Amino acid sequence: MSARETAELLLQVGRLVQAEGYDGELSPAQWMALRFFARANPFSRTPSAFAEFQATTRGTATQAIKALEAGGYLVRQPFKTDGRSVSLRLTSKGKKALARDPFEVLVRAVDSLDAAERTAMRRALHQVLSTLATSGAHRRIGVCQDCTHFGREMCGNQPSTGPSAAECLFLGVPIQPEDVGLLCVHFQPMNEHREDGRTP
């Protein structure tokens, strides 16, 4: 199978999943926002982080967020460290909506593959995403355990909860165990380094 045929299959999967997202209540963009804010870590629950994740403009991302707020799916709170910035979180209504997320159709389809096939697909898609990210203007968003900024042991004056405590080396803050698998806007893949030695 050629690279073009494979790329066309990826597009077709995306179109089918997006079509499933029109359920009469929420649009595909609003579903994407709900998923993002459910999976984003505390540093990334912002409109600008969601715009980065969607690879879209801040205005377009804000429209989806405002619709979800108006519908009672999302609520905004000021950051504890910066009262000018806001953090978005799902309400109980938003969490209930995710329980019937049309995206689960794709999750079940992937789950029908055996473990080796899922692992191979994940690695291949990570590589494709990395290639796209380096060739475009949009950064990749990923999880702590796959990030070059992920530190296993706490250092400095930060409190440690044990030998397996972790910290974000980029922000210099502790990472709670429940946040390690969440999406972060400061993500940088471990195998990627800028030529000038700085992080993006």
Side-chain angles (χ1 to χ4, degrees):
M1 180 178 283
S2 71
R4 181 170 296 278
E5 288 173 311
T6 302
E8 286 172 351
L9 284 174
L10 282 172
L11 278 179
Q12 189 173 0
V13 168
R15 284 195 298 268
L16 288 173
V17 172
Q18 186 171 26
E20 290 283 340
Y22 289 102
D23 71 345
E25 185 178 351
L26 299 176
S27 71
Q30 291 164 356
W31 278 118
M32 182 68 79
L34 271 186
R35 289 179 209 123
F36 175 78
F37 289 111
R39 285 209 60 216
N41 70 15
F43 317 114
S44 305
R45 295 175 191 149
T46 65
S48 58
F50 174 58
E52 285 272 2
F53 181 72
Q54 274 283 79
T56 189
T57 66
R58 175 75 180 266
T60 300
T62 299
Q63 287 178 357
I65 291 168
K66 283 185 176 178
L68 290 171
E69 286 183 280
Y73 297 94
L74 284 179
V75 65
R76 61 179 62 210
Q77 301 171 318
F79 268 114
K80 294 177 183 176
T81 55
D82 181 2
R84 296 169 300 173
S85 300
V86 297
S87 175
L88 291 145
R89 67 171 179 81
L90 270 66
T91 62
S92 58
K93 183 178 179 179
K95 291 174 184 175
K96 286 178 184 175
L98 274 185
R100 56 178 175 77
D101 186 352
F103 178 69
E104 292 304 313
V105 171
L106 179 58
V107 173
R108 287 191 295 272
V110 173
D111 195 43
S112 70
L113 303 173
D114 66 39
E117 290 172 323
R118 288 195 303 270
T119 300
M121 177 184 281
R122 183 177 187 271
R123 286 180 181 154
L125 290 175
H126 267 297
Q127 182 58 47
V128 169
L129 281 172
S130 294
T131 302
L132 289 173
T134 55
S135 66
H138 299 285
R139 80 172 89 183
R140 233 180 103 192
I141 293 180
V143 298
C144 291
Q145 58 217 20
D146 298 330
C147 181
T148 192
H149 304 308
F150 183 61
R152 266 285 167 205
E153 294 184 7
M154 295 297 299
C155 58
N157 297 322
Q158 297 287 356
S160 176
T161 58
S164 63
E167 74 168 323
C168 174
L169 301 176
F170 180 77
L171 297 173
V173 296
I175 301 172
Q176 300 304 316
E178 63 271 19
D179 293 341
V180 169
L182 299 181
L183 298 171
C184 184
V185 72
H186 302 297
F187 174 79
Q188 183 181 6
M190 288 184 183
N191 59 349
E192 288 182 14
H193 302 282
R194 288 169 59 121
E195 290 181 5
D196 59 8
R198 293 183 291 112
T199 54

